[in-house]
Amino acid sequence: MESKREPVEIMKPFNGIHGGGFVRESLRGIPAARGTVGLHNLGNSCYMNSILQCINQIKPITGYFLEGDYQKELNKANPLGSGGRVATAYGSFLNDIWGGEYSVVAPRILKQTVSMFAQQFNNNYQHDSQEFCQYLMDGLHEDLNRVREKPYVEAVEAFGMEDGKAAVESWRKHLLRHDSIFVDYTQGMHRSHLTCPACGKESIKFDVYSSISLPIVPAKEGSSSVPLKACLDQFAVGEQLDEHNAWYCPSCKRHVCALKHIQLWNTPDVIVLHMKRFTFEKCPDEDGKIIRRKIEETVDFPIDRLDLSPYVYGPKYEDAPPVYRLFGVSEHTGATANSGHYTATVRNSGDGNWYRYNDSHVGSSSGDAAVTGGAYLLFYQRIRGSLRWAGMERQMKDDEDGFKEVTGKKRRNRR
């Protein structure tokens, strides 16, 4: 039977591009479930495998690729994209994962293609899975951007404006340059309020995000873990920027360590929470040498119901509330993000069961098994209903002028 074929080692270097060869080819066989397939390690590529196992379970986006709809929206002329090559390679990868023919896939072509356009990944070094996730989702967005000619737009200064109007105007300008299935499902907006500590000058901007970076607060004495709520609460408190992230105050005419307060205006159907496990600190014993430290605290995050309602500042809708179910966790073991090993624990979008992925090895698991000190990226999906553009489509319809100007372009409805 085909499923009993032995794996074959095939040596295939590919023009000096790492991930191109000296690795096992895909292994034909019956997967544990449709869409649940192991991934060969191509040389410290576990960071990539961990992310691919998570994002390939985003059902609406995966369906868009499997049905071939992405081919109609490839933007080969976008200078910020790859000429459609990354999206095409990802589509081919998904066909292998969901085709039911393989038990293990070697994502060589996808790794090679990404490495052509992101040279930082063109090696056999370990990388940060969060950085790879950000690049891949941004790269796929640009390859599939429905905007063919991007106009120049200036950011909206929202200080003194009514928040709803400022949000609509900011999103309207965003859509003039960015419009893809990733915008539909994975991008939201937050309200960023900066205050100069010297002169009191204030600035408010509505910025687009595709992930939220959460600080990890210390566990209370006698407790073995930190509730995710405590991390969300700390995120909502705000912070003072350090000198590396200083804000230019137009009144003082210099960079200042401003006070920054971020509030979520809305949340997309798919939201990624990035636990800030890695910090940079000065070592007092080595003349101020900067060292990177990992926070090993276990964050106790909900599996079946994460309610973000208390943290959403903008409009909320009863038919699609900001309540989420976990479907994936990118996990890390080791001292730094660029060393150690990455794995993933993921809920299959088809059968609803949990599986643990350690490169080519796949086994049954549970969501609770992912609640460890290694949980690094948390992938959540809205439980009920769907909101295009994180709800901005509805908000813009209420603000007719903003909506009519954007819909003046020829647009495709998403599935």
Side-chain angles (χ1 to χ4, degrees):
M1 293 176 61
E2 191 71 7
S3 60
K4 293 183 178 180
R5 284 181 54 185
E6 294 296 320
V8 179
E9 298 272 349
I10 299 179
M11 302 300 188
K12 283 188 177 180
F14 184 84
N15 297 336
I17 295 177
H18 289 275
F22 305 107
V23 294
R24 286 176 176 168
E25 292 296 281
S26 299
L27 175 62
R28 291 188 180 276
I30 301 173
R34 188 166 181 261
T36 294
V37 174
L39 298 177
H40 277 312
N41 191 313
L42 307 178
N44 282 325
S45 64
C46 56
Y47 68 91
M48 176 184 75
N49 292 347
S50 174
I51 294 303
L52 292 176
Q53 296 291 13
C54 292
I55 68 172
N56 99 82
Q57 296 298 336
I58 302 176
K59 193 170 184 177
I61 292 179
T62 294
Y64 165 85
F65 276 92
L66 293 180
E67 292 166 16
D69 292 344
Y70 76 96
Q71 295 175 345
K72 307 167 192 172
E73 298 191 330
L74 285 174
N75 188 341
K76 297 182 179 180
N78 186 355
L80 297 180
S82 67
R85 293 180 181 88
V86 170
T88 299
Y90 185 66
S92 177
F93 164 78
L94 288 179
N95 282 324
D96 287 344
I97 293 294
W98 289 87
E101 298 180 8
Y102 298 100
S103 59
V104 181
V105 164
R108 290 186 305 110
I109 301 301
L110 180 58
K111 174 71 159 60
Q112 292 164 7
T113 307
V114 168
S115 297
M116 288 180 189
F117 299 96
Q119 287 294 311
Q120 66 268 34
F121 300 118
N122 186 22
N123 49 58
N124 283 335
Y125 303 142
Q126 183 66 279
H127 292 278
D128 186 330
S129 73
Q130 188 264 342
E131 292 176 0
F132 179 79
C133 181
Q134 194 69 53
Y135 170 79
L136 182 60
M137 293 182 75
D138 286 349
L140 290 171
H141 154 66
E142 293 294 358
D143 270 3
L144 300 165
N145 199 340
R146 298 163 186 143
V147 178
R148 293 315 196 242
E149 295 183 11
K150 294 185 177 184
Y152 170 77
V153 297
E154 292 187 356
V156 176
E157 174 52 68
F159 185 75
M161 291 181 66
E162 189 270 322
D163 281 337
K165 290 286 186 182
V168 166
E169 178 65 9
S170 298
W171 189 257
R172 183 187 68 81
K173 289 194 171 186
H174 179 63
L175 289 180
L176 292 175
R177 295 177 57 84
H178 302 280
D179 180 16
S180 74
I181 191 168
F182 285 87
V183 177
D184 292 343
Y185 286 103
T186 71
Q187 293 186 4
M189 275 201 310
H190 60 62
R191 180 183 185 272
S192 176
H193 188 171
L194 295 168
T195 305
C196 176
C199 72
K201 174 70 175 179
E202 296 178 73
S203 174
I204 296 175
K205 298 284 177 64
F206 283 80
D207 297 320
V208 176
Y209 71 87
S210 57
S211 67
I212 302 172
S213 295
L214 298 179
I216 299 178
V217 301
K220 292 183 178 179
E221 188 174 350
S223 177
S224 60
S225 64
V226 178
L228 181 64
K229 182 180 183 302
C231 301
L232 287 164
D233 290 344
Q234 184 62 38
F235 170 81
V237 166
E239 62 179 343
Q240 183 161 17
L241 300 179
D242 59 30
E243 57 189 15
H244 299 293
N245 297 290
W247 170 62
Y248 183 79
C249 175
S251 293
C252 296
K253 300 191 184 314
R254 62 185 178 90
H255 286 89
V256 298
C257 295
L259 302 173
K260 184 175 184 179
H261 184 214
I262 292 180
Q263 296 170 299
L264 300 180
W265 180 254
N266 53 31
T267 54
D269 283 356
V270 175
I271 192 166
V272 181
L273 302 184
H274 164 226
M275 308 311 300
K276 295 169 70 173
R277 292 202 172 275
F278 304 100
T279 62
F280 293 92
E281 298 179 353
K282 288 184 179 180
C283 182
D285 299 329
E286 299 189 30
D287 299 324
K289 179 181 177 181
I290 302 296
I291 59 173
R292 197 174 191 186
R293 184 175 70 88
K294 182 180 178 182
I295 301 173
E296 299 277 4
E297 299 275 8
T298 296
V299 176
D300 189 4
F301 47 87
I303 308 301
D304 293 314
R305 193 177 191 278
L306 170 63
D307 188 355
L308 292 177
S309 300
Y311 307 99
V312 175
Y313 183 67
K316 292 182 276 289
Y317 302 95
E318 290 185 2
D319 61 331
V323 181
Y324 292 81
R325 179 184 293 116
L326 184 76
F327 72 89
V329 181
S330 174
E331 307 151 337
H332 177 268
T333 56
T336 71
N338 300 104
S339 64
H341 184 58
Y342 287 95
T343 56
T345 300
V346 185
R347 189 198 307 253
N348 183 286
S349 61
D351 67 14
N353 293 324
W354 286 91
Y355 298 90
R356 187 166 193 273
Y357 301 88
N358 185 353
D359 289 330
S360 60
H361 301 285
V362 181
S364 297
S365 189
S366 68
D368 290 330
V371 183
T372 70
Y376 186 36
L377 296 180
L378 312 179
F379 293 78
Y380 282 92
Q381 186 156 2
R382 194 185 307 273
I383 293 176
R384 180 162 58 90
S386 179
L387 291 175
R388 190 186 193 196
W389 305 337
M392 287 307 300
E393 181 177 45
R394 295 191 189 185
Q395 196 177 341
M396 292 178 77
K397 284 180 178 177
D398 292 338
D399 187 285
E400 293 185 1
D401 292 336
F403 189 74
K404 285 178 181 177
E405 184 166 345
V406 173
T407 53
K409 301 182 296 177
K410 182 179 181 181
R411 304 177 54 82
R412 295 183 179 91
N413 291 328
R414 70 171 185 174
R415 287 183 172 267

